[in-house]
Amino acid sequence: MPIELSQHRARTRRWGYETRLFFGALIVAGPALLALFIVLWSSAQAHSLALPVSIVVAAITVVFALELRRRAIYPLRTLSNLLEALREGDYSLRGSAARRGDAIGEVVIEINTLAQTLREQRLAVEEKSALLAKVIAALDIAVLAFDARGALQLANPAAEKLLDRPFATLSGLSAAELGVGDWLELTEPCISERSFPGGSGRWEVRRAKFRENGRPHDLLVITDLSRTLREEERLAWQRLLRVLGHELNNSLAPIRSMAATLAKLLAAEPLAEDWRDDAGSALGVIGDRAEALARFMARYTAFARLPPPTPRIFAFAELVQRIAHLEQRMPVRVEAGRDLAINADPDQIEHALINLLKNAVDATLPNAGDVHVRWQVDADALIVEIVDSGSGLPHSENLFVPFFTTKPGGSGIGLVLARQIIEAHGGTLGLENRDDAKGCIARVVLPL
């Protein structure tokens, strides 16, 4: 029995769907035809007409079966054409005369909906791809893509400029031929010095992996650090020289004036009776300004020679209490926080907090306000805040520029030195105006 069933299935598979549908229609009409033929051939009166009638009826049945097959096959061929168009990426074809409640109509409606969805999705992908291509082309960062064999598959204009060749001549070259073969082995970003046909300098290199058509690819993003560093260095020198020029002019102007006065005094004939007093006064001014310049240079040297921190474990609360007691001009309130020990350089941390506390007191004294210190632990960081009731931060971008100051007689080194100390410990220093009242908050964040 299983053998006969398998043979029947094999024969069925050999027949096409259209053939099976045609013979199925004939089988459905078979009992009626058989009954008609029996009646015709068994009746003596219709015996003479039995043969032509049987032929006509059989022909009509075959014609009806063929028409039924055609009507059943036509919508299926239409569906096949629609699906073929979708497979080829043509989403403009639509099935017509489709209506709900009809089996074929339901299928056509769903295919039409699928075609519209795929069309919208392809349009969105194409728009995003075009935007991505424009963004990559506009970047001044070199972008290179390599396939699994290490052959170049993509290079943006910045990469073409770096390699000094158009992509048409670069496509297919190996990473080793382009001089970046070792960068394809990177597991994390690195900074490297290297020379290319289009330029040399320091480069930040990032490697990423992606897949295209199911195959792995490597992406290299190469950023020129030299130009950015040179620009930042130029801006830093401009700000520094502006402040240095201001400080030097403040000292050199009175020196020049006193020197001219002395020259005029000594050139007079005869000398005035009080020339010694005038000369002594002028020399005193010159000496004071020279001493001020010497102190200025000493502060600069101290700032430039800040040693690296020497960390050790110490109690942070005790350090804050000691700093608060050092300020004698006004009482400093300490809001006791968590009692903890931190691993840092206590001398440098104390020096940085003293500078910040001194600035807070300087800003608060004219307003007769108060200054308080508080701290808390957030995740893996210690957050220390020095809050004052002064006039708030001035609108200036030079707060952390060395030797810039808004206070008469200020050195302009305290904030810069404090930030350098905090950053040497891996932390950050920020200044912001208070939201609840007038004044400023100096916020120090130190990793634990």
Side-chain angles (χ1 to χ4, degrees):
M1 182 66 180
I3 297 177
E4 295 178 356
L5 181 61
S6 62
Q7 291 176 348
H8 172 72
R9 289 177 178 175
R11 288 193 299 271
T12 302
R13 283 197 297 268
R14 285 197 298 269
W15 291 357
Y17 174 75
E18 299 177 8
T19 303
R20 295 199 303 272
L21 184 62
F22 172 72
F23 283 109
L26 293 180
I27 291 173
V28 171
L33 290 176
L34 181 61
L36 177 61
F37 292 159
I38 292 174
V39 171
L40 289 174
W41 288 95
S42 62
S43 174
Q45 294 82 2
H47 191 273
S48 60
L49 300 175
L51 181 59
V53 170
S54 299
I55 294 174
V56 171
V57 171
I60 293 174
T61 302
V62 170
V63 170
F64 283 167
L66 291 173
E67 179 63 17
L68 176 63
R69 186 190 68 170
R70 188 190 68 80
R71 289 179 177 272
I73 294 301
Y74 178 77
L76 295 179
R77 292 192 180 278
T78 301
L79 296 177
S80 175
N81 292 335
L82 291 175
L83 293 174
E84 182 182 6
L86 294 181
R87 178 174 57 82
E88 296 295 334
D90 182 3
Y91 306 134
S92 60
L93 291 182
R94 296 289 187 275
S96 60
R99 57 187 177 85
R100 293 290 183 182
D102 179 72
I104 297 296
E106 294 279 357
V107 176
V108 173
I109 290 174
E110 293 301 325
I111 292 179
N112 290 343
T113 303
L114 176 62
Q116 180 64 23
T117 302
L118 292 176
R119 180 177 179 276
E120 294 174 353
Q121 291 179 350
R122 184 174 70 175
L123 181 61
V125 169
E126 290 178 349
E127 290 176 346
K128 292 179 180 178
S129 298
L131 175 61
L132 180 60
K134 289 185 177 295
V135 170
I136 292 177
L139 289 175
D140 59 353
I141 300 173
V143 178
L144 301 171
F146 298 89
D147 61 16
R149 298 179 294 106
L152 183 66
Q153 300 297 315
L154 179 144
N156 68 338
E160 295 178 355
K161 183 178 179 181
L162 178 65
L163 299 173
D164 198 24
R165 293 170 64 182
F167 177 68
T169 63
L170 294 172
S171 179
L173 294 181
S174 67
E177 292 175 317
L178 298 176
V180 296
D182 57 325
W183 286 349
L184 289 183
E185 306 298 328
L186 294 176
T187 57
E188 58 184 20
C190 76
I191 296 177
S192 176
E193 292 190 13
R194 190 159 300 185
S195 296
F196 293 97
S200 60
R202 300 182 68 193
W203 313 91
E204 182 189 34
V205 185
R206 294 177 179 270
R207 171 178 171 259
K209 299 186 74 66
F210 68 98
R211 302 186 74 86
E212 183 178 3
N213 297 327
R215 297 181 178 179
H217 286 66
D218 290 294
L219 186 71
L220 285 183
V221 180
I222 307 171
T223 306
D224 183 6
L225 297 180
S226 301
R227 184 174 58 183
T228 303
L229 292 175
R230 285 194 300 268
E231 181 64 19
E232 290 297 327
E233 183 180 10
R234 183 182 65 82
L235 294 176
W237 276 111
Q238 286 180 349
R239 292 192 295 264
L240 180 59
L241 291 176
R242 185 167 60 246
V243 175
L244 289 174
H246 176 74
E247 183 70 22
L248 291 174
N249 286 332
N250 285 343
S251 296
L252 292 177
I255 290 177
R256 286 196 302 266
S257 176
M258 290 299 102
T261 300
L262 281 175
K264 183 179 179 181
L265 180 65
L266 295 177
E269 290 292 345
L271 294 175
E273 294 182 358
D274 59 347
W275 72 272
R276 294 181 181 276
D277 295 335
D278 293 339
S281 177
L283 291 174
V285 171
I286 293 174
D288 291 341
R289 297 317 306 166
E291 181 64 25
L293 278 178
R295 290 196 301 269
F296 174 79
M297 294 307 299
R299 290 196 299 267
Y300 175 80
T301 303
F303 170 70
R305 295 180 178 177
L306 180 68
T310 305
R312 60 182 176 86
I313 303 295
F314 66 93
F316 182 74
E318 296 179 3
L319 182 140
V320 174
Q321 293 289 349
R322 183 168 65 252
I323 293 172
H325 292 153
L326 290 176
E327 181 56 59
Q328 300 297 317
R329 293 173 294 173
M330 64 179 298
V332 175
R333 179 163 51 92
V334 177
E335 296 182 7
R338 178 178 169 184
D339 190 8
L340 76 161
I342 66 173
N343 186 24
D345 189 324
D347 297 330
Q348 291 192 7
I349 296 296
E350 181 176 358
H351 189 65
L353 295 180
I354 287 176
N355 283 337
L356 296 175
L357 189 60
K358 180 178 180 297
N359 288 340
V361 173
D362 290 340
T364 304
L365 280 175
N367 299 336
D370 69 320
V371 175
H372 61 276
V373 183
R374 62 194 181 199
W375 70 90
Q376 61 179 342
V377 176
D378 184 11
D380 294 331
L382 170 64
I383 302 176
V384 185
E385 294 181 338
I386 299 177
V387 185
D388 65 59
S389 301
S391 57
L393 293 174
H395 296 288
S396 175
E397 61 178 9
N398 297 320
L399 287 176
F400 288 100
V401 174
F403 314 113
F404 173 83
T405 181
T406 58
K407 297 183 295 184
S411 65
I413 200 69
L415 274 180
V416 183
L417 186 60
R419 186 174 71 169
Q420 186 174 354
I421 290 174
I422 299 302
E423 290 182 348
H425 285 77
T428 59
L429 169 61
L431 300 175
E432 63 182 42
N433 286 318
R434 296 174 60 178
D435 295 331
D436 56 343
K438 198 172 183 180
C440 169
I441 299 177
R443 182 175 293 109
V444 175
V445 179
L446 292 172
L448 294 178

